[in-house]
Every structure is written in structure tokens, then in C-alpha cells.
Amino acid sequence: SHFPNNFILLTLYLNKMKVAVLLSGSGVYDGSEITESTAALIHLSRAGCDYQCFAPDQDQMHVVNHVTGEPMEGETRNVLIESARIARGAVTALEELTVEEFDAIVVPGGFGVAKNLCNLAVKGKDMEVDPTVDKILKEFHAAKKPIGLSCIAPVLGAKSLPDGVKITMGMESGDDFPHSWAIPAAQAMGATHVSVDKPATEAVVDSDNKVVTCVAYMYSGKPHEIYDSVGNLVDEIVKMISN
């Protein structure tokens, strides 16, 4: 008599959603933004997803003293090793990511995206995406699997995905949106930008391209607003996988 319930549980287990999370270091100024990254992992976990963290096995562009905001001369750090701090050690080199094994990918923000996953911080609208990152995003897109991009990470979609991809990075101006300089760069790379005003917690969905973006710390919000922003991104990703 227990068979149907056990069968349903087994089916749910076998069909458990698996999401790749792409990190870019540890710390807002030279790596992944920590609040956004942990928010993504918590919301994915609560939604019943399995996740695996990945990061490039390469040196960071530079190392920033997070007290002063200044680069630290003569110091080098590895993106994979730093990302392991957020992932509690459970992080894999990005080169080993197999798209077939995952239902979606989520990329939290932080300046590591603009420095280690691409070179937006140096080249602006003329940026290039790291070749492995570019290849993986294109493979997820070709497989029609959802791509979630938080904060400044939508610039990766602007460059790697088809022209017209719909994204948000908040508002084009205003004291509450100090990083809005990235929006014209994304538009110059072919993205369609959707403005989202404070508290900037709603996610923007591009159903055609299966891309979900959220503002997160592109808005100078409170930690719970950032948590909710990333949570709405995860909710939309889970809906897409389920459909």
C-alpha cells in the first residue's frame, strides 16, 4: 500500500532539479558578491534544487583590500580557491562543467564578474567574455536551459547571447543606482534593458531566450532586499525548469 507514495518520492528524487552556480571569487570588489551568492544557494536549496558551484581555475584580475577598496600590489589570488570560501569547499573548475548534467545556470554578481568572468571593468562596451564562460552560456542557451544573471552579470548575457536579449540592471541613473554606467555598455552590446526601480526586487524574464535577471546590488539596497531580489530570480528559474 506504500508503493504509490514511495514511487512519487522516487520520481521526485530522480527528477530533482540540478543547477550550476558560477562564482567569480569571494568578495564584492574582486570576486562574487557574498550576499547574492549565499542568497542564491539558500533559495535554490529551499526550492528543492541540487546545486553545484563552479569557478574558473585562474588568477583574479587583481586583489582588492576590502577595507580600503584599493588594489593590493604584488598579491595574487586564484578565482577557484577564493570561490571555495563561499561554497564551503564544494566548488569545481569551470572547465569540468557539462551542460547536459544541469537544468539551469545561475551567475551571482560582484565585480569578479566584470574582472574575472569578462573584462568589462577594463574595456567597457568593448569587453570580451572569458572563452570558457562564453562557451558554457551559449551551450545552455542552445539547449534551451534557463540562465539566471544577477546584479552586473547580465553584461555576460548582453555579449554572449543573441541581440535583443531582455535584461535588467536597475535604473539608468540616480543615487540609488551607482553602477548604472554598465547599462549603456550592455545596450551597446545588443541587449534590451528593462528599467526596474527601487526596491528593485522584481526579476525580469526573457521567455524567448530563457534568461532571468535581477537588480540585486546594482541598487544600493538593504541586505533583505538583495536577498529577495535574488529569491525572485531563483523562483522564475525554477518555474522555467518545471515547465
Side-chain angles (χ1 to χ4, degrees), residues 27 43 90 99 104 124 127 160 178 180 216 218:
H43 285 294
V99 173
M127 67 170 234
S160 294
S180 57
M218 292 297 276

Side-chain angles (χ1 to χ4, degrees), residues 95-114:
E95 292 73 18
E96 295 178 35
L97 194 162
T98 307
V99 173
E100 290 75 25
E101 292 178 9
F102 293 92
D103 298 304
I105 186 168
V106 171
V107 189
F111 279 105
V113 171

Side-chain angles (χ1 to χ4, degrees), residues 99-136:
V99 173
E100 290 75 25
E101 292 178 9
F102 293 92
D103 298 304
I105 186 168
V106 171
V107 189
F111 279 105
V113 171
K115 294 175 177 180
N116 305 326
L117 303 186
C118 71
N119 55 14
L120 174 77
V122 178
K123 293 201 167 182
K125 65 180 174 55
D126 299 317
M127 67 170 234
E128 299 118 355
V129 178
D130 171 87
T132 308
V133 175
D134 183 64
K135 172 175 166 285
I136 284 164

Side-chain angles (χ1 to χ4, degrees), residues 101 154 176 183 185 235 237:
E101 292 178 9
D176 292 320
I183 294 172
D235 286 349
I237 290 282

Side-chain angles (χ1 to χ4, degrees), residues 36 106-109 147-154 166-170 196 200-205 211-219 225-234:
E36 292 181 34
V106 171
V107 189
I147 297 168
L149 305 166
S150 166
C151 188
I152 205 162
K166 196 164 74 172
I167 62 164
T168 188
M169 291 193 284
V196 174
T201 54
E202 72 178 91
V204 166
V205 178
V211 172
V212 182
T213 54
C214 72
V215 178
Y217 266 124
M218 292 297 276
Y219 162 58
E225 293 172 319
I226 309 313
Y227 181 82
D228 291 347
S229 176
V230 175
N232 287 330
L233 177 144
V234 169

Side-chain angles (χ1 to χ4, degrees), residues 23-73:
L23 301 176
S24 59
S26 180
V28 57
Y29 299 129
D30 58 10
S32 290
E33 208 295 313
I34 292 171
T35 302
E36 292 181 34
S37 301
T38 53
L41 301 183
I42 292 165
H43 285 294
L44 286 167
S45 172
R46 180 169 284 158
C49 300
D50 280 340
Y51 62 79
Q52 173 63 48
C53 294
F54 292 89
D57 185 3
Q58 63 194 41
D59 283 344
Q60 295 179 180
M61 184 187 108
H62 60 186
V63 179
V64 174
N65 178 328
H66 277 58
V67 177
T68 65
E70 297 298 320
M72 299 174 72
E73 299 304 325

